[in-house]
Amino acid sequence: MTDPVPAREAAPDMLDRLIGAVAALSRLGGAIAVALLLAAVLVICQMVFVRYVLQGSAIWQHEFVTFSLIGATFIGAPYVLLTHGHVNVDLLPIYLGPRGRFALALLAALISLVFCLIVAGYGFAFWYQAYVEDWHAQTVWRPPLWIPYFAVPLGMGLLALQYVADILALLTGRQAPFGGGGEQA
């Protein structure tokens, strides 16, 4: 007879499901960022063709590419955090002991979470004002600005959620500080 499956493996607890759901949202944000980058590349190619082959003018392409790149940056940020793809100077964590690494990782994540919440809050207020007052770009194309402005509160809100998931994973031992191995304290 085989050993029964441990309870944690058989049925993930609520925290595992929460962390998994946030990771899925972060992956979705990464896919959206890739789609925005791809769209920007295609529009740049179209713009070059129209301007230099057809001798036409580019009316909307510059703005579309700018808004797409900004959107990709904000909406893709949670995926970068999920995969630990950001630049990380790990000189100090290398020389700290397990407790020091744990404390530093927790402090850095908490400060980052507060920053994300502040930017998301101000970004939401700015987006809401643009939506309610029907702001449009001062160009020939005149796109409504609430659409590109929405990338700021959305991306920073998702980034804050990913920080919450990372903090919970760190506090419960599901994740090691700074992605390293060893005991945490």
Side-chain angles (χ1 to χ4, degrees), residues 98-184:
R99 286 179 179 242
R101 273 193 303 276
F102 178 80
L104 185 61
L106 187 59
L107 179 65
L110 287 171
I111 290 171
S112 299
L113 173 61
V114 169
F115 174 78
C116 290
L117 290 173
I118 290 169
V119 174
Y122 279 108
F124 179 82
F126 194 62
W127 165 81
Y128 184 74
Q129 185 176 5
Y131 180 76
V132 169
E133 296 179 12
D134 197 29
W135 292 358
H136 288 265
Q138 299 295 316
T139 60
V140 175
W141 186 31
R142 291 190 39 83
L145 290 175
W146 68 267
I147 297 170
Y149 288 179
F150 188 62
V152 175
L154 176 64
M156 294 306 275
L158 290 174
L159 188 58
L161 270 177
Q162 186 59 54
Y163 270 115
V164 168
D166 282 1
I167 290 168
L168 291 173
L170 183 66
L171 289 173
T172 59
R174 288 171 170 82
Q175 178 178 312
F178 298 102
E183 298 291 318
Q184 65 201 28

Side-chain angles (χ1 to χ4, degrees), residues 78-88 166 175-176 178-179:
Y79 178 76
V80 174
L81 179 61
L82 174 70
T83 60
H84 302 288
H86 53 280
V87 174
N88 188 19
D166 282 1
Q175 178 178 312
F178 298 102

